[in-house]
Amino acid sequence: MDTADTSNARSALMARLRAKALDLRRHMVTQARGKGQGYLGQGLGIADFLTFMYFHEFEAKDLEFDRGDRRRFLLSTGHYSIALWAVLAELGIIPVPDLLSYGADGSPLEMSTMEGHVPGVEMTGGSLGHGLGVATGIALGYRLDGYASTIHVEISDGELQEGSTWEAANTAAALKADNLVCWVDCNGIQADGPLVVPVDPVPARFSAFGWLSMEIDGNDYDQLLDAFVWAAKREGKPKVVVMRTKPGCGITRIEQRDRAHFVRIDADEWDDVARELEAENG
């Protein structure tokens, strides 16, 4: 393939993925509108990464959730469920009309993920700080079973304030779990505002524990593509990709909020939110 063909293929790929990310964001707005509130800021911020993970990186066999040796993606931040439900709806695993039940009493589409209720949910993520430990255990189990697949896990910068995260990071590096890739969503917020405990420089901290690390803009498609190419190479150590993401990415009025951890929007504003999403991403 010559340079022009390569460039055209890359452009076509990016266009396809941007269109898919817009579909995910539409689904998230539908969910939050049905509830009147939700973790929309984080969902919008991580939509681009999840688009790459599920609609570029994963193959059909990785979406056979009863298959033991598949590549896996663990969402440690269970309150990002609004984004995962959007993905599973696009994959046809959740009926799109069911998205309106997000966060409702009795609905399996909880505001924080619970394993066992919906296919594709790999772990219960409601209590933070456990994702990297769970993923490390699965990665080591895969090695014992002779499975070649990679385990991907998303954690947040807030979870870097948890000692359990660093215990898992130490274990994964010491046991050379090079089938493990950790994606850290660094959006700079937690429940009541900015992070309480400073966590930077995140890449250097992981490197000090024995990981291979890189840092990207988690809403930049070229950087995301390069990160997935880098992460796919086995180099004898676990890898971490530190993603700087923008809460509310794709809808300016949410991006500009001082507090975007849990978003509440008045009923008469939702039409404007939907219009802004289309205007800013069309």
Side-chain angles (χ1 to χ4, degrees):
M1 185 178 291
D2 62 26
T3 302
D5 288 340
T6 300
S7 177
N8 289 338
R10 187 179 179 109
S11 296
L13 171 64
M14 295 304 191
R16 178 177 68 82
L17 293 175
R18 288 183 190 280
K20 184 62 67 175
L22 177 55
D23 287 336
L24 297 186
R25 288 184 165 98
R26 287 171 176 148
H27 288 323
M28 292 181 217
V29 169
T30 295
Q31 292 175 78
R33 184 172 191 163
K35 181 70 174 175
Q37 57 191 5
Y39 294 98
L40 186 57
Q42 294 95 326
L44 294 170
I46 205 169
D48 302 309
F49 161 69
L50 289 181
T51 298
F52 270 83
M53 177 64 70
Y54 281 93
F55 301 99
H56 174 64
E57 181 70 10
F58 273 8
E59 300 173 0
K61 63 183 179 181
D62 300 316
L63 301 174
E64 297 173 11
F65 297 126
D66 57 351
R67 180 171 178 153
D69 63 346
R70 71 189 185 280
R71 278 184 291 185
R72 294 178 187 245
F73 171 71
L74 282 68
L75 184 73
S76 182
T77 51
H79 57 295
Y80 288 24
S81 66
I82 193 170
L84 184 58
W85 304 147
V87 167
L88 296 177
E90 271 301 294
L91 291 172
I93 295 165
I94 296 173
V96 171
D98 287 3
L99 293 175
L100 290 170
S101 71
Y102 166 71
D105 290 345
S107 171
L109 306 186
E110 299 101 337
M111 297 183 81
S112 194
T113 54
M114 295 286 287
E115 186 181 5
H117 293 185
V118 179
V121 177
E122 300 282 0
M123 64 170 287
T124 297
S127 182
L128 299 179
H130 300 298
L132 189 54
V134 173
T136 297
I138 295 173
L140 295 173
Y142 266 40
R143 190 164 72 186
L144 290 172
D145 288 335
Y147 297 159
S149 300
T150 300
I151 306 302
H152 295 268
V153 59
E154 174 274 341
I155 69 174
S156 66
D157 47 2
E159 290 181 278
L160 300 182
Q161 299 172 115
E162 301 275 1
S164 55
T165 297
W166 296 109
E167 290 173 7
N170 187 48
T171 299
L175 297 178
K176 302 185 186 306
D178 67 349
N179 58 339
L180 175 63
V181 180
C182 180
W183 303 81
V184 186
D185 178 31
C186 288
N187 60 23
I189 62 171
Q190 57 186 58
D192 295 322
L195 293 181
V196 173
V197 178
V199 296
D200 280 313
V202 180
R205 290 189 174 190
F206 271 93
S207 295
F209 272 79
W211 288 57
L212 299 175
S213 62
M214 73 177 299
E215 182 172 354
I216 65 169
D217 178 337
N219 300 118
D220 182 286
Y221 279 53
D222 288 309
Q223 293 184 39
L224 279 166
L225 183 59
D226 291 343
F228 273 96
V229 171
W230 175 79
K233 301 173 184 175
R234 298 282 179 89
E235 299 183 67
K237 296 180 179 182
K239 290 186 171 183
V240 61
V241 180
V242 177
M243 304 183 295
R244 305 292 176 176
T245 64
K246 182 185 297 183
C249 183
I251 302 178
T252 298
R253 71 171 60 205
I254 299 177
E255 291 178 16
Q256 294 176 341
R257 288 192 171 208
D258 291 334
R259 294 188 176 184
H261 179 78
F262 189 83
V263 174
R264 294 179 175 86
I265 294 176
D266 292 338
D268 60 356
E269 289 186 84
W270 281 106
D271 285 341
D272 291 336
V273 169
R275 279 192 290 268
E276 284 182 22
L277 176 63
E278 301 301 324
E280 296 175 23
N281 297 274

